[in-house]
Amino acid sequence: MGIIIDKINLRHVRMPLKSFFETSFGRTYARDIVLVEVISDGLSGWGEVTAGENPFYNEEWTGSIWPLICNYIAPRILNFELDGPEAVGPRTAHIRGHMMTRGGVEAAVWDLEARRNNVPLWKQIGGGAHKEIACGVSIGIQDTVDGLLKKIESELADGYQRIKMKIKPGRDVEDIRAVRKEFPLVKLMADANSAYTLADTDHLRRLDEFYLMMIEQPLAHDEIIDHALLQAKLDTPICLDECIRSAHHAEQAIRLNAGRIINIKLGRVGGFAEAKRVHDVAQKAGIPVWCGGMLESGIGRAHNVALASLPNFVLPGDVSASKRYWARDIIQPEVETTPNGTIALRDGVGFGYDIDMDFLDSITVRRESLS
Ligand code: OSB
Ligand code: MG
């Protein structure tokens, strides 16, 4: 029997980060997150739209989500018999881009479907190959190198399996050199968030001496071909983030040798169905993947945990404990890591954690019901 969504509840929540997060495109002090609840026959599924507060990572931002769902997505999803969660992608395929907004709704329908079937979300998506997912941390650009070293030390003490540091021009070679000197054996990588161009090729080659696991998205957000030209000149493997928005992009990037690793973000590719396709394309080509993060609340975080349980997620991802981000998360229990730097899958239905509704209500700044 298909799914008929009879109501969509949107809410915008504001969550201050414990400490600011700086990338090459700017600083974030607080998250403005849109959560999507889809309701069918009295059962709810929840999703999180992973767009940032500004259209700097990609074109989406908190302000673009609401009108897109109200005007374009809800009318295609509400009161229509969907064959399953896989039908959400095709129902919204006429919309250009906005994968995170479409993906937030899609993920909510997967959560709903898992609850209808009384199974955990990881099982519903065909995951569970890993019962514990391997965790790394993404560390933003710090004011001082000394601050960065201290932060890394404390993350390693908490058991995290690899360190990712954000870089940008002027905060790259010397910062990494200092980290490598202090932590010669740590699994280390750098994320540039598109801060360089091919003109920086010789400069980026200087990173080869630090035997990084990978450099993530050094070049433009929509550029596959230049990454192929750069990869041919670098020993360090390139990992693609921003420019893989579909399984087709993954196929093109792999065919061109534009990188050797792919970061899969649930939102960036429009939800679970496409994330699984990216995963499968990479797996067939022998390309390892890992699960990226977008500073998610507990709901998006729990969805990421489910995704990362698919078999080809063989590298530690950017999914880490709630307490690294939030004084208080919106789920109970919060997402926690083991001393080995892993997160264990949970057996509860749907995304596997309870929503703290009172707390959620207290941080909600806007809501709307669509039916
Ligand atoms: O490029 O992976 C990225 C956060 C916001 C925008 C882009 C990125 C990130 C992260 C954070 O690296 C990962 C996390 O801890 O959620
Ligand atoms: Mg990235």
Side-chain angles (χ1 to χ4, degrees):
M1 196 183 70
I3 313 172
I4 300 176
I5 310 281
D6 42 67
K7 195 174 191 190
I8 300 177
N9 291 330
L10 299 181
R11 58 166 91 209
H12 171 172
V13 297
R14 178 156 304 146
M15 298 177 72
L17 286 163
K18 269 189 176 174
S19 41
F20 70 80
F21 189 80
E22 182 173 331
T23 67
S24 61
F25 56 77
R27 264 189 193 183
T28 308
Y29 291 88
R31 295 295 334 280
D32 279 285
I33 296 172
V34 175
L35 300 172
V36 181
E37 180 186 12
V38 295
I39 301 173
S40 171
D41 230 347
L43 263 188
S44 289
W46 288 78
E48 173 167 341
V49 180
T50 61
E53 289 64 47
N54 299 291
F56 299 160
Y57 168 83
N58 63 11
E59 79 284 358
E60 294 180 85
W61 62 296
T62 309
S64 70
I65 300 167
W66 213 276
L68 194 84
I69 294 182
C70 293
N71 298 331
Y72 295 99
I73 300 177
R76 296 282 294 174
I77 299 300
L78 279 169
N79 304 315
F80 175 86
E81 184 164 357
L82 301 164
D83 285 338
E86 293 91 345
V88 175
R91 289 290 292 169
T92 58
H94 59 300
I95 300 167
R96 288 279 182 272
H98 296 277
M99 307 315 290
M100 291 170 160
T101 304
R102 291 156 59 186
V105 176
E106 197 256 19
V109 179
W110 278 95
D111 182 49
L112 172 66
E113 181 68 351
R115 290 172 198 275
R116 278 162 40 106
N117 294 329
N118 214 24
V119 297
L121 179 60
W122 56 262
K123 195 165 266 178
Q124 183 66 48
I125 66 163
H130 310 287
K131 297 294 179 216
E132 292 183 21
I133 67 153
C135 306
V137 290
S138 174
I139 300 180
I141 296 167
Q142 303 294 307
D143 286 334
T144 64
V145 172
D146 205 47
L148 173 63
L149 297 176
K150 292 215 166 70
K151 196 138 200 171
I152 292 174
E153 195 179 357
S154 102
E155 304 289 12
L156 293 172
D158 285 341
Y160 286 106
Q161 299 183 13
R162 73 97 168 95
I163 300 292
K164 158 168 145 184
M165 55 188 283
K166 294 285 187 178
I167 57 169
K168 65 178 180 181
R171 295 298 302 276
D172 46 27
V173 178
E174 294 318 315
D175 284 38
I176 297 175
R177 186 186 309 283
V179 171
R180 256 307 175 226
K181 186 156 170 258
E182 194 81 10
F183 305 100
L185 299 178
V186 147
K187 282 187 185 165
L188 182 66
M189 60 172 291
D191 186 357
N193 287 110
S194 303
Y196 300 90
T197 71
L198 273 186
D200 300 308
T201 300
D202 287 339
H203 180 71
L204 293 170
R205 280 165 60 110
R206 296 176 61 201
L207 300 182
D208 280 345
E209 74 170 285
F210 305 117
Y211 49 95
L212 301 175
M213 292 175 86
M214 67 196 92
I215 178 170
E216 186 177 342
Q217 196 74 31
L219 308 179
H221 71 98
D222 55 356
E223 182 58 70
I224 290 176
I225 293 172
D226 281 359
H227 278 104
L229 297 174
L230 179 64
Q231 182 68 88
K233 300 242 164 95
L234 291 187
D235 293 335
T236 307
I238 290 175
C239 169
L240 297 173
D241 174 356
E242 280 89 329
C243 68
I244 305 299
R245 295 156 65 102
S246 66
H248 182 61
H249 289 154
E251 274 166 2
Q252 292 179 312
I254 291 167
R255 199 182 318 147
L256 292 174
N257 292 313
R260 302 192 192 129
I261 299 168
I262 294 175
N263 161 344
I264 300 183
K265 287 182 181 165
L266 183 60
R268 195 195 66 224
V269 301
F272 280 107
E274 195 69 9
K276 276 152 47 84
R277 283 190 283 270
V278 175
H279 166 277
D280 294 351
V281 162
Q283 185 173 38
K284 244 183 227 129
I287 298 283
V289 305
W290 53 275
C291 185
M294 291 296 292
L295 313 174
E296 286 91 347
S297 81
I299 293 177
R301 198 164 293 282
H303 282 79
N304 288 342
V305 173
L307 179 64
S309 77
L310 291 166
N312 194 36
F313 283 83
V314 291
L315 297 170
D318 279 348
V319 185
S320 56
S322 299
K323 69 170 184 206
R324 292 188 60 251
Y325 305 82
W326 319 116
R328 181 169 172 188
D329 203 344
I330 60 175
I331 56 166
Q332 283 175 343
E334 303 197 334
V335 174
E336 287 170 351
T337 51
T338 69
N340 304 323
T342 64
I343 296 170
L345 293 189
R346 291 168 59 84
D347 285 327
V349 294
F351 66 76
Y353 296 77
D354 292 328
I355 299 176
D356 182 343
M357 288 308 286
D358 291 338
F359 180 57
L360 190 61
D361 284 344
S362 75
I363 59 170
T364 297
V365 296
R366 183 182 179 193
R367 59 206 298 175
E368 188 167 343
S369 264
L370 309 166
S371 54

